[in-house]
């Protein structure tokens, strides 16, 4: 075993773990985590907003912070928003985020029976258990993956980038062609600016502002935040629904242990799906919900206010949060749109995610891992204390919400580089993102391509320089060849499913006729 990256603490001696804990629990860090969690819960509880938009909106606030503090704030927003979606899912049958869609099935029926407080407490406790399970997976799995990835060279990283693009493009849309189009568009955008190898300018059209390329911060804020603001302005005068009254309910971790099988299965499903690029918390929640229903002795109770249904959904979607950091920190590959935004935050801080991060800055990595545990614990405490307050966030008027988000995005994107041009870029991407959404084009492939495009190009060019232009270098090395073949298989499988889906739709139409 490589002594540089022990399995347990990723290269940090156990004697320094106390130092990490002391640094994380400073008054500043605890305050920042509390603010991040509160903001995340509020964003998650507002229907129409999601984790990606929440992290993107809060991203500019971290520019002046230390890297660990800023990362903890964004992770707090991420975890808080995933849990926050369950509030409206239970109270008004409107999941605040897609991750809480499965929680509606039994959470809302519980609320209709006068058990809203109990349902919210169960969701909060299950979220804690799932979140801690994902933290454990991150701590023990990530160092082993990083140790394996240290053997990667330019060909392997190029093949890995292609694998990430193939996965995202194939699972992010009902139509494979749309996913590929969005991935290709993102790759085209990444070549704007100065060539990283030869130093020539590309697609700048004589603009000095474009010579440095398209910054990922205004692009992400435009695609997610501004595009969503445009959507909300269409229904700006629609009144939001009010939340229902709550009654106190005592739900403890020990009390949920009678569902220990569901907790374990849901945690494992969430961790596995979170570590696989292109999936997400919503898929994890529905799979776990179906598994719990099939294994239950009383499956007919599901959908009518079954506690086990809420436990399965909320444990699984929160178990995704830490697992999504595994491919990001170990391979530098964002597994979903939230971690793509986190790449932007790390870039601003001068931190490059990947296997060398574990070797060169193990203290930072372990601080993030341990910090995620504190984030989940603080989220549990906040949820217990302020659950009634958070539930009232559903009553915020759309006009006030749109104005606040617009101001926050504009100030935030300007503060990144003190450039007015970035505001124009953000608005342009917002308009593009709005219309792409209207025509059912998936946005995740576009965002992931913006992140992976430079990595793929640089490593492809380096590989060809090493091999004197021989493309066989990608197939003569086992790891890169395996990733490329898997990517091809993934695309072929997605194409096959698309064709089969069209055939089934055609047969159904003929049958109805």
């Amino acid at each position: 075993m490589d002594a540089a990256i022990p399995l347990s603490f990723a290269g940090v001696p156990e004697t320094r773990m106390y130092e990490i804990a002391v640094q994380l629990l400073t008054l500043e860090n605890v305050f920042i985590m509390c603010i991040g969690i509160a903001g995340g819960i509020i964003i998650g509880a507002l229907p129409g907003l999601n984790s990606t938009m929440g992290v993107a909106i809060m991203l500019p606030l971290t520019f002046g912070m230390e890297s660990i503090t800023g990362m903890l704030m964004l992770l707090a927003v991420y975890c808080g928003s995933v849990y926050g979606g369950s509030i409206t899912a239970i109270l008004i049958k409107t999941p605040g985020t897609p991750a809480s869609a499965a929680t509606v099935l039994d959470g809302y029926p519980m609320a209709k029976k006068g058990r809203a407080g109990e349902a919210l407490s169960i969701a909060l406790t299950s979220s804690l258990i799932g979140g801690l399970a994902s933290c454990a997976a991150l701590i023990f799995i990530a160092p082993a993956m990083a140790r394996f990835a240290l053997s990667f060279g330019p060909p392997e990283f190029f093949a890995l980038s292609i694998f990430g693009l193939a996965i995202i493009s194939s699972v992010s849309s009902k139509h494979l062609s749309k996913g590929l189009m969005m991935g290709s568009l993102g790759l085209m955008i990444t070549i704007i600016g100065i060539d990283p190898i030869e130093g020539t300018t590309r697609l700048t059209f004589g603009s000095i502002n474009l010579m440095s390329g398209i910054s990922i911060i205004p692009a992400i804020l435009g695609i997610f935040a501004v595009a969503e603001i445009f959507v909300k302005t269409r229904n700006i005068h629609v009144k939001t629904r009010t939340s229902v009254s709550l009654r106190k309910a005592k739900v403890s971790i020990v009390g949920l242990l009678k569902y220990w099988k569901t907790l374990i299965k849901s945690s494992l499903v969430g961790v596995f799906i979170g570590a696989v690029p292109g999936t997400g918390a919503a898929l994890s929640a529905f799979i776990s919900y179906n598994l719990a229903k099939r294994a239950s002795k009383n499956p007919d109770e599901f959908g009518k206010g079954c506690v086990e249904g809420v436990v399965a959904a909320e444990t699984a979607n929160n178990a995704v949060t830490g697992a999504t950091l595994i491919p990001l920190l170990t391979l530098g590959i964002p597994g979903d749109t939230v971690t793509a935004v986190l790449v932007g935050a790390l870039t601003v801080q001068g931190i490059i995610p990947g296997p060398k991060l574990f070797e060169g800055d193990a203290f930072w990595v372990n601080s993030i891992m341990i910090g995620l545990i504190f984030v989940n614990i603080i989220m549990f405490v906040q949820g217990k204390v302020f659950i009634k307050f958070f539930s009232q966030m559903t009553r915020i008027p759309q006009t006030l919400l749109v104005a606040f988000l617009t101001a926050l995005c504009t100030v935030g994107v300007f503060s990144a580089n003190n450039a007015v041009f970035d505001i124009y870029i953000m608005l342009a991407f917002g308009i593009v993102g709005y219309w792409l959404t209207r025509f059912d084009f998936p946005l995740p492939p576009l965002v992931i391509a913006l992140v992976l495009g430079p990595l793929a190009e640089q490593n492809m060019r380096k590989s060809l320089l090493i091999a004197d232009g021989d493309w066989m270098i990608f197939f003569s090395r086992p790891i890169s060849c395996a990733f490329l073949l898997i990517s091809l298989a993934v695309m072929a499988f997605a194409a096959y499913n698309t064709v089969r889906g069209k055939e089934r739709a055609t047969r159904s139409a003929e049958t109805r006729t």
Side-chain angles (χ1 to χ4, degrees), residues 43-49 81 83-105 107-109 111 120 232 239-243 391 394 398:
I43 289 171
L46 293 173
L49 305 186
S81 62
Y83 160 68
S86 66
I87 295 177
T88 45
I90 291 170
L91 297 181
I92 60 175
K93 201 181 180 180
T94 304
T97 62
S100 300
T103 308
V104 172
L105 301 177
Y108 183 67
L120 289 172
K232 286 190 172 298
K239 293 183 179 180
T240 56
R241 301 172 65 180
T242 58
S243 57
S391 65
T394 59
Q398 291 284 340

Side-chain angles (χ1 to χ4, degrees), residues 48-82:
L49 305 186
N50 53 40
S51 302
T52 304
M53 186 177 178
V55 175
I57 290 172
M58 303 294 281
L59 174 60
L61 301 180
T62 66
F63 291 161
M65 301 179 184
E66 294 183 0
S67 59
I68 293 178
T69 304
M71 190 69 171
L72 288 177
M73 181 177 186
L74 295 180
L75 290 177
V77 175
Y78 183 19
C79 295
S81 62
V82 173

Side-chain angles (χ1 to χ4, degrees), residues 67-68 71 329 346 351 357 361-368:
S67 59
I68 293 178
M71 190 69 171
L329 295 179
L346 295 177
I351 295 174
L357 185 63
D361 201 351
F363 184 86
W364 185 92
V365 174
N366 281 269
S367 297
I368 298 304

Side-chain angles (χ1 to χ4, degrees), residues 381-508:
V381 175
Q382 273 200 13
K384 284 289 188 182
V385 176
F386 299 112
I387 190 65
K388 285 189 176 182
F389 169 76
F390 290 137
S391 65
Q392 301 302 313
M393 293 302 103
T394 59
R395 308 175 70 174
I396 295 179
Q398 291 284 340
T399 51
L400 179 61
L401 180 63
V402 167
F404 174 74
L405 294 179
T406 302
L408 189 61
C409 289
T410 304
V411 174
V413 76
F414 176 79
S415 64
N417 299 310
N418 293 325
V420 177
F421 183 74
D422 284 351
I423 299 178
Y424 299 147
I425 293 294
M426 179 185 70
L427 292 175
F429 273 89
I431 295 172
V432 171
Y434 171 78
W435 285 107
L436 288 175
T437 304
R438 290 289 303 272
F439 289 101
D440 199 27
F441 281 90
L443 297 181
L446 174 61
V447 177
I448 300 300
L450 291 176
V451 175
L452 295 183
L455 179 67
E457 182 192 6
Q458 292 179 23
N459 285 286
M460 181 190 72
R461 302 277 291 277
K462 289 179 182 177
S463 301
L464 293 176
L465 287 175
I466 294 171
D468 293 327
D470 186 3
W471 287 85
M472 288 305 296
I473 187 174
F474 300 112
F475 299 95
S476 60
R477 298 168 70 114
I479 297 178
S480 61
C481 182
F483 274 120
L484 291 175
L485 291 177
I486 294 173
S487 302
L488 182 61
V490 167
M491 300 302 293
F493 182 73
Y496 173 74
N497 284 338
T498 300
V499 173
R500 286 196 60 187
K502 291 182 179 179
E503 291 177 351
R504 285 196 296 266
T506 302
R507 287 196 297 267
S508 299

Side-chain angles (χ1 to χ4, degrees), residues 3 20 40 69 73 97 110 125 128 137 170 173 254 258 320 330 375 378-379 386-387 409 423 437 447 469 497:
I20 291 176
T69 304
M73 181 177 186
T97 62
M110 288 184 67
T125 307
L128 172 66
S170 62
S173 176
V254 176
K258 62 180 179 179
V320 168
T330 59
V375 165
I378 294 174
M379 179 185 72
F386 299 112
I387 190 65
C409 289
I423 299 178
T437 304
V447 177
N497 284 338

